[in-house]
Amino acid sequence: MKIQIDHKDFELMIEHEQVKKRLRLIGIQLNVAYENRIPVFVGVLNGCFMFMADLMKEVHIASEVCFVKMASYRGDQREEEVKTLIGLPNSLKGREVIIVEDIIDTGNTLKQVIELVEREEPVSIAVCTLLLKPEALEYDFEELAYVGFEIENQFVVGYGLDYKGIGRNLKDIYRAV
């Protein structure tokens, strides 16, 4: 199946059913790893909203949720500088934090988010991402603990990911062709 967004063609890459199955497995891992603890899930907006909403339905332990908003893309072009648009609303001092990302490519945004969280002096930081582009990574992250899918270094849309603000609502994930 192919779609077009703003004259750019995309083809189906990951069906929603595959995403749901993977989320169930990540949910089980999180439930076991954080049993009898109360972690704080920090979602990175806007892209994480669908992933995080569905992920939290699979998390059955006590937990808290908050969000940060970072900007690293303009259209389909990565920007060098990552901007913080919305910061952390709560103190994370002494807390166990799970950063939830839609996609990690270069790692610039994640690096900024980790630095933002570290300033709050949490006990631990783990990263949970739906998509990871290993070929594009410019940093090593020891915090990277939960990965939905490793993908090639291609531009993707759907399931929270956008192209020029469009496509976040698609339930499947598509790659540019």
Side-chain angles (χ1 to χ4, degrees):
M1 180 176 170
K2 290 190 177 184
I3 61 168
Q4 191 175 72
I5 299 174
D6 196 35
H7 307 293
K8 191 171 188 77
D9 294 320
F10 295 87
E11 66 183 9
L12 182 63
M13 186 171 110
I14 304 172
E15 291 181 345
H16 188 243
E17 285 304 312
Q18 289 177 272
V19 172
K20 287 184 355 187
K21 287 177 186 173
R22 189 69 185 112
L23 288 181
R24 277 192 290 278
L25 291 173
I26 293 171
I28 290 168
Q29 290 177 301
L30 289 165
N31 291 327
V32 170
Y34 291 90
E35 186 177 20
N36 300 319
R37 299 187 268 170
I38 303 174
V40 179
F41 288 83
V42 178
V44 183
L45 294 172
N46 286 337
C48 84
F49 81 99
M50 285 181 79
F51 172 50
M52 189 155 175
D54 288 346
L55 177 65
M56 296 311 297
K57 293 171 192 169
E58 301 297 333
V59 173
H60 305 297
I61 55 170
S63 59
E64 293 180 34
V65 173
C66 66
F67 296 92
V68 296
K69 185 170 183 178
M70 312 297 276
S72 63
Y73 269 86
R74 177 166 286 149
D76 64 347
Q77 301 299 310
R78 283 187 207 119
E79 294 185 349
E80 289 298 314
E81 183 183 339
V82 178
K83 299 176 182 109
T84 302
L85 305 177
I86 299 173
L88 294 168
N90 305 323
S91 172
L92 300 174
K93 185 175 177 79
R95 302 295 307 273
E96 295 182 84
V97 175
I98 303 164
I99 297 169
V100 180
E101 271 276 27
D102 55 346
I103 188 167
I104 300 170
D105 44 39
T106 63
N108 287 329
T109 300
L110 180 58
K111 184 175 182 293
Q112 294 283 106
V113 173
I114 289 173
E115 289 171 1
L116 186 69
V117 169
E118 283 176 337
R119 285 191 286 252
E120 295 289 316
E121 301 176 10
V123 169
S124 67
I125 300 173
V127 174
C128 176
T129 186
L130 175 62
L131 303 173
L132 174 67
K133 296 180 181 179
E135 295 168 14
L137 268 178
E138 296 177 5
Y139 306 94
D140 290 324
F141 295 104
E142 63 184 44
E143 301 88 352
L144 189 54
Y146 307 95
V147 177
F149 301 92
E150 288 189 5
I151 63 171
E152 294 179 17
N153 191 12
Q154 298 172 309
F155 192 79
V156 292
V157 299
Y159 200 69
L161 299 148
D162 74 299
Y163 174 61
K164 296 185 178 181
I166 301 169
R168 290 190 195 279
N169 61 311
L170 300 168
K171 69 179 187 174
D172 300 314
I173 299 171
Y174 297 81
R175 71 175 142 230
V177 290

